[in-house]
Amino acid sequence: MYKKISTERVRSDLINSCEIAIIDVREEAPFAEGHPLFASNIPLSRLELEIFTRVPRLNTPVVVYDNGEGLAEQAYQKLSGWGYSDVALLKGGLKGWEAAGGEIFHDVNSPSKAFGELVESVRHTPSLAAEEVKALLDARADVVVLDARRFDEYQTMSIPTGISVPGAELALRVKELAPDPSTQVIVNCAGRTRSLIGTQSLINAGVPNPVAALRNGTIGWTLAGQTLEHGQSRSFQPVSDETRLTAATSAHAVADRAGVKRAKRDQLFTWQQNATRTTYLFDVRTPDEFTAGHFPGAFSAPGGQLVQETDHHAAVRGARVVLVDDDGVRANMTASWLAQMGWEVYVLEGVELSHFTESGDEKRRYPPVQSADVVTAESLATLLGEGGVAVFDLTTYQRYQKGHIPGAKWVLRTDVVSQVKALPQHQVIVLTCGSDRLARYAWQELAQQVPHKVVVLEGGNAAWRRAGLSEEAGSGDALSPLIDRYRRPYEGTDNPKEAMQAYLDWEFGLVAQLEKDGTHGFQVI
């Protein structure tokens, strides 16, 4: 028997800032078609890889749902088996939420995008149309364009002359990128949110320059018929100690205005041992800085992306969030936005670089898995030459297209059993993914349900490449619907103009949706 929870109870917990994780276990594309505001998307196909990081406390109230596909019940059983003690199904699933008057939001990262629109409506964040910005650039006016997205997004397409300065870096670095206070600063992203938040960050921090967002970002630029650049590498440089200290003072003041709290290391350690409250610890510096050295137990969440993707990084609404940096600027500015988004947020103080004693990737936890039968990359290459082998690739379809083992079929992990059952029993089934972690979880299920011999490619596709074996690129053989990723209308370079305009129209309506939803708790300073 499954425990169930009503929409009314979930809404009440959200409004009262109780801890709750609302998990949509469908794939990303159907999730983007409609979900509650604070739902986090953790597909059943990848649940093992993400759940312990995104919902770290086992007695967190967890609500799982789908839209009638039967995925939520499977997720419920898995979560309970891994020790989550307070799991419930959303009564009626997504349809039940809507029938009970719950608001339905579309796209991904909806809380942050709705918040960005609210900020603009309250603060009247200044912006310039694409045509106005182009005219300034054509006239060689005293203007600097700062791109607030991730560096890889910037490299895909950018505004002419634009410099990559991801969101949390803006307040730290703007003075040296635009030292003359009369220089017009223009902040852009692909659509609206990060340019609005970036622009308002500089205004909140008291930057003396005139600052404006590029209205509607690269979408607005494209809809105006203007040409973007591609493959650029302009980026910020290190700043002076004087600039860092000045920016830190301003950022601290902004954080104080927003109600950000302060924590010491011993307080953080106490919180991390507390089994009754969730505490996230995020390092908001750049990924390279994090890899070089970070505070023990921290997860990398560059500040601009953390504000943009709160639902991804912190799936437990109502949790405590602690931010850390080494300059006093990026954590304070990021925290100022999270506080306005209704999070209880702290900046870790008294931290020095000597405390950043861990290096490399984050330390993640995963559910236990049985020891699988494996095959090496070299042995698989020999088997493929002999025939009678079917390779199933469980990585993302986007990654599969870039390169996969010759003849490998792409399949969603949730479809593997049905696809294997349709094959002749004499075939050997080989499961692979980026590493081999997800394949091992799939093997654990598959080996119990089919008569075939099933093995895992040891080390996954990465091992295949390390062995110098050839790959195929392109669409290949997809056995599942291509729903594992939602194609954002603001990414890439080949989006239909109608889709881009529809996306903008959706963003314009988010403030009204927030008012109807009533669970957000946002307060703009």
Side-chain angles (χ1 to χ4, degrees), residues 3 9 19 58-63 76 80 83-88:
K3 175 184 175 183
R9 173 61 187 275
E19 283 201 23
L58 292 180
N59 55 0
T60 303
V62 179
V63 179
Y76 184 108
S80 299
Y84 284 91
S85 59
D86 191 1
V87 184

Side-chain angles (χ1 to χ4, degrees), residues 145-160 162-170 187-195 198 214 216-219 221-222 228-232 234-236 286-287 302-305 308-309 490-493 495:
V145 179
L146 306 181
D147 193 312
R149 299 171 296 164
R150 300 190 315 264
F151 184 66
D152 63 301
E153 294 180 88
Y154 163 80
Q155 284 195 305
T156 298
M157 56 182 180
S158 60
I159 304 301
I163 303 168
S164 175
V165 190
E169 308 295 327
L170 288 165
V187 180
N188 83 275
C189 64
R192 293 174 55 80
T193 309
R194 285 172 287 184
S195 58
L214 169 60
N216 305 329
T218 57
I219 287 181
W221 193 269
T222 302
L228 293 164
E229 292 184 338
H230 307 284
Q232 296 301 313
R234 295 180 292 265
S235 186
F236 59 81
T286 67
Q305 287 304 115
Q308 172 80 357
E309 301 171 340
Y490 46 84
E491 68 180 2
T493 58
N495 294 302

Side-chain angles (χ1 to χ4, degrees), residues 176-337:
E176 296 192 8
L177 293 166
D180 186 338
S182 65
T183 300
Q184 172 72 59
V185 175
I186 296 170
V187 180
N188 83 275
C189 64
R192 293 174 55 80
T193 309
R194 285 172 287 184
S195 58
L196 291 171
I197 296 297
T199 297
Q200 197 61 54
S201 291
L202 296 179
I203 294 171
N204 289 355
V207 170
N209 304 69
V211 186
L214 169 60
R215 195 174 304 149
N216 305 329
T218 57
I219 287 181
W221 193 269
T222 302
L223 291 176
Q226 298 167 184
T227 303
L228 293 164
E229 292 184 338
H230 307 284
Q232 296 301 313
S233 59
R234 295 180 292 265
S235 186
F236 59 81
Q237 299 300 314
V239 300
S240 68
D241 290 342
E242 180 186 359
T243 294
R244 183 179 295 106
L245 289 171
T246 301
T249 300
S250 298
H252 198 292
V254 175
D256 286 346
R257 285 174 52 210
V260 173
K261 303 174 185 179
R262 313 285 160 188
K264 300 293 186 182
R265 286 179 295 145
D266 57 350
Q267 191 173 16
L268 171 64
F269 296 147
T270 299
W271 288 340
Q272 290 174 324
Q273 303 307 311
N274 186 344
T276 64
R277 186 78 197 281
T278 300
T279 298
Y280 292 106
L281 175 61
F282 295 126
D283 185 324
V284 297
R285 302 172 302 154
T286 67
D288 287 344
E289 289 174 286
F290 179 88
T291 301
H294 55 266
F295 197 86
F299 284 83
S300 178
Q305 287 304 115
L306 176 56
V307 175
Q308 172 80 357
E309 301 171 340
T310 52
D311 57 322
H312 177 80
H313 291 284
V316 182
R317 184 65 174 169
R320 179 193 294 119
V321 177
V322 181
L323 306 184
V324 61
D325 64 10
D326 61 356
D327 51 64
V329 183
R330 291 172 285 186
N332 274 297
M333 290 306 300
T334 303
S336 75
W337 290 118

Side-chain angles (χ1 to χ4, degrees), residues 103-153:
E103 189 70 11
I104 299 294
F105 287 78
H106 300 280
D107 205 83
V108 293
N109 309 134
S110 301
S112 302
K113 292 173 181 178
F115 175 69
E117 296 300 317
L118 182 65
V119 169
E120 186 197 37
S121 71
V122 172
R123 295 299 306 274
H124 308 293
T125 306
S127 63
L128 294 173
E131 295 85 350
E132 295 175 279
V133 175
K134 185 175 187 300
L136 289 172
L137 296 177
D138 289 346
R140 299 185 181 277
D142 185 11
V143 58
V144 60
V145 179
L146 306 181
D147 193 312
R149 299 171 296 164
R150 300 190 315 264
F151 184 66
D152 63 301
E153 294 180 88

